[in-house]
Amino acid sequence: MALKKLVAGNWKMNGRLADLPEIQAIAAAAISHGDVDVALGLPATLIAPACAAAPGFAIGGQDCHWAASGAHTGCLSVDMLKEAGASFVIVGHSERRTDNHETSLDVRQKAEAAMAGGLLAIICVGETEAQRDAGDAVSVVTEQVRASLPVTAAGGAVAIAYEPVWAIGTGRTPSAADVAEMHAAIRAELKSLLGQEGENIRILYGGSVKASNAAELLHIADVDGALVGGASLKAADFIPIISAAKR
Ligand code: 13P
């Protein structure tokens, strides 16, 4: 059975209080697109104001620490995100793997903490252009899935976001055939790790998703949604992507 699609925005280091009306417009569209799950990963400073401005809409963070509290300057725990109103958290985004030197072990520990606290963990994986050119994309990504996924992962608790690093913010996307090949490989890996439960985990595609390519990308086999960066910042750009996810 096909999984309900999830279209999530990742606002990265963008968004101020002045942008709350955009969030409200996206939340209103989410209500009118009830057959698609819609969510926004916001900078931590906007989580509580956004939850107050758009009650009931799925707001999340973009990272968490795996510890519950302690001497980790600048970090946020799962409980802190939950207290602010978050219902999910993105972990292991390639920008964090690169900028903050996060390893797949770090990512797994963060995903475990999110699961334990009841936040959906969106676990990001993806190859670099050099890895794809070398013919290693599938092996790199399936290894990231193996190393980043909690052993107790389940459909309601985690999602995978396949984001080729070279497609993020570049306007370039893999061919439909390459997306299909990668999502099938991730699905096979999930099933080999988790058995039947591997069928229940949503696999999102991310990297230069926009209104003009969303319908094609979102209807490839085993693409169960999208993780959208730049095109999620404005309701006018994001809502057509939500619409494209409808069957
Ligand atoms: P863009 O949609 O801007 O390419 O970003 C994708 C991304 O990194 C989402 O997490």
Side-chain angles (χ1 to χ4, degrees), residues 221-232:
D222 276 315
V223 175
D224 307 308
L227 185 57
V228 184
S232 71

Side-chain angles (χ1 to χ4, degrees), residues 10 12 93 95 163 167-169 207-209 227-230:
N10 173 10
K12 309 189 180 185
H93 192 282
E95 287 151 15
E163 300 203 305
I168 295 175
S208 295
V209 177
L227 185 57
V228 184

Side-chain angles (χ1 to χ4, degrees), residues 1-20:
M1 201 188 69
L3 301 172
K4 186 175 181 186
K5 293 203 194 297
L6 168 61
V7 176
N10 173 10
W11 276 27
K12 309 189 180 185
M13 199 170 72
N14 299 289
R16 305 285 296 267
L17 292 175
D19 299 304
L20 287 174

Side-chain angles (χ1 to χ4, degrees), residues 111-173:
E112 283 168 353
M115 281 183 68
L119 290 185
L120 172 75
I122 300 181
I123 301 168
C124 302
V125 294
E127 83 284 359
T128 64
E129 185 154 39
Q131 289 165 332
R132 176 158 288 273
D133 289 347
D136 295 336
V138 168
S139 62
V140 164
V141 169
T142 50
E143 164 56 25
Q144 285 179 343
V145 170
R146 256 195 311 284
S148 306
L149 191 78
V151 288
T152 56
V158 307
I160 302 289
Y162 166 56
E163 300 203 305
V165 176
W166 53 272
I168 295 175
T170 60
R172 297 163 59 207
T173 55

Side-chain angles (χ1 to χ4, degrees), residues 186-197:
I186 295 171
R187 177 69 66 210
E189 190 63 41
L190 291 172
K191 283 162 68 176
S192 99
L193 292 167
L194 302 172
Q196 198 54 32
E197 191 57 32

